[in-house]
């Protein structure tokens, strides 16, 4: 079996005094094994989210930098928007929402400039919220793992300790040598739970701050564009 081979490989030169995580997993009760496996899968998914979020946030920030620099230098916002593929640029989507609402009102004569300003602002604010929600879509999983994983690991520990005491009753032997291996396997479940929870909590707090900062940046862009569009509308 692959896990048995890995356990024997990690058991350096037959050094039984060294902790062997694979052996602890293999010797654990089936319920504890299932809990450990679930926590390991959750940990893998947590690190997948961490890596993909970092890469995606860096890519989005670079694209927004390029888009914003060109946008404010353009003589005509609509021409710039049409001549550039927005792709996955959140600022482009915010600008599109504002320009679309501006075009609908610029084509008609109206004295209700306050209502026009509000509609343009609402359109861009909605786009800002959608882009922020899209960036934060998977962060709830990090929060869930960070809060639940330690308790799931503790459940495995409690079950393992209960099983150890059951074995004591079966063998009629309360020696520490009999109890210690089962308790070690049980405590390993808590360790895996913490291994999954700690990076999840750190990443969630850090990434939530980055999403909030990026949303604030989009909102500042939307406010500047709102001012520019309403000035043009009133000048007509």
């Amino acid at each position: 079996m692959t896990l048995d081979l890995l356990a024997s490989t990690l058991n350096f030169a037959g050094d039984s005094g060294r902790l062997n995580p694979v052996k602890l997993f293999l010797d654990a009760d089936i319920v504890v094994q299932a809990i450990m496996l679930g926590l390991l899968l959750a940990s893998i998914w947590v690190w997948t989210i961490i890596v993909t979020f970092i890469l995606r946030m860096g890519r989005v920030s670079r694209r927004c930098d390029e888009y914003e620099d060109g946008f404010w230098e353009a003589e005509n916002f609509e021409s710039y928007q049409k001549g550039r593929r927005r792709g996955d640029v959140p600022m482009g989507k915010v600008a599109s929402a504002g320009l679309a609402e501006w075009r609908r009102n610029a084509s008609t004569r109206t004295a209700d400039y306050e209502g026009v300003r509000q509609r343009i602002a609402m359109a861009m604010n909605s786009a800002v919220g959608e882009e922020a929600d899209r960036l934060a879509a998977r962060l709830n999983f990090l929060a869930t793992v960070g809060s639940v994983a330690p308790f799931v690991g503790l459940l495995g520990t409690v079950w393992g300790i209960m099983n150890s005491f059951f074995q004591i009753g079966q063998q009629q032997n309360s020696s520490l040598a009999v109890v210690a291996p089962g308790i070690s396997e049980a405590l390993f479940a808590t360790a895996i739970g913490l291994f999954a929870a700690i990076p999840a909590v750190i990443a969630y707090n850090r990434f939530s701050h980055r999403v909030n900062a990026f949303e604030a940046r989009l909102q500042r862009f939307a406010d500047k564009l709102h001012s520019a569009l309403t000035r043009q509308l009133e000048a007509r």
Side-chain angles (χ1 to χ4, degrees):
M1 187 178 180
T2 305
L3 288 177
D4 291 327
L5 179 61
L6 182 58
S8 61
T9 302
L10 291 176
N11 193 6
F12 300 97
D15 184 6
S16 59
R18 188 185 298 271
L19 274 177
N20 190 326
V22 177
K23 189 173 187 304
L24 288 175
F25 173 81
L26 293 175
D27 292 341
D29 182 81
I30 184 63
V31 175
V32 181
Q33 285 183 342
I35 291 173
M36 289 180 182
L37 186 59
L39 290 172
L40 286 173
L41 293 175
S43 180
I44 292 172
W45 187 239
V46 163
W47 282 105
T48 301
I49 293 174
I50 291 173
V51 172
T52 54
F53 182 89
I54 291 173
L55 295 176
R56 183 183 182 191
M57 200 68 195
R59 182 174 62 254
V60 168
S61 296
R62 287 192 300 271
R63 290 181 177 178
C64 283
D65 290 340
E66 296 174 1
Y67 180 90
E68 188 173 17
D69 291 341
F71 187 85
W72 296 122
E73 292 176 358
E75 295 181 359
N76 187 289
F77 295 153
E78 288 190 280
S79 298
Y80 178 82
Q81 192 75 353
K82 291 178 180 178
R84 180 185 176 89
R85 293 180 60 188
R86 291 185 292 110
D88 191 26
V89 183
M91 279 187 179
K93 296 177 182 178
V94 173
S96 289
L99 289 170
E101 188 63 35
W102 176 82
R103 281 193 298 270
R104 282 192 287 269
N105 291 276
S107 60
T108 59
R109 290 182 175 273
T110 178
D112 186 16
Y113 291 119
E114 183 60 30
V116 173
R117 280 194 288 265
Q118 290 181 4
R119 287 193 291 272
I120 294 174
M122 289 174 61
M124 289 193 291
N125 289 341
S126 177
V128 169
E130 289 175 0
E131 293 306 309
D133 290 342
R134 187 174 290 110
L135 283 174
R138 295 183 177 180
L139 297 189
N140 286 336
F141 183 80
L142 298 181
T144 301
V145 172
S147 59
V148 173
F151 295 102
V152 176
L154 184 61
L155 173 63
T157 297
V158 171
W159 183 272
I161 291 175
M162 289 170 56
N163 187 57
S164 295
F165 280 112
F166 177 77
Q167 294 300 324
I168 289 174
Q170 290 291 101
Q171 299 180 23
Q172 299 294 320
N173 188 348
S174 60
S175 168
L176 186 61
V178 174
V179 180
I183 294 179
S184 297
E185 297 153 11
L187 291 174
F188 188 50
T190 297
I192 296 177
L194 294 175
F195 179 78
I198 291 173
V201 171
I202 294 174
Y204 177 78
N205 292 333
R206 179 58 182 166
F207 293 165
S208 295
H209 174 74
R210 290 192 65 180
V211 170
N212 291 337
F214 189 76
E215 183 178 8
R217 180 185 176 184
L218 289 180
Q219 190 61 56
R220 289 192 297 270
F221 173 81
D223 291 341
K224 290 174 64 177
L225 181 57
H226 178 266
S227 298
L229 293 178
T230 52
R231 280 197 301 270
Q232 291 182 24
L233 193 64
E234 293 173 2
R236 288 175 177 261

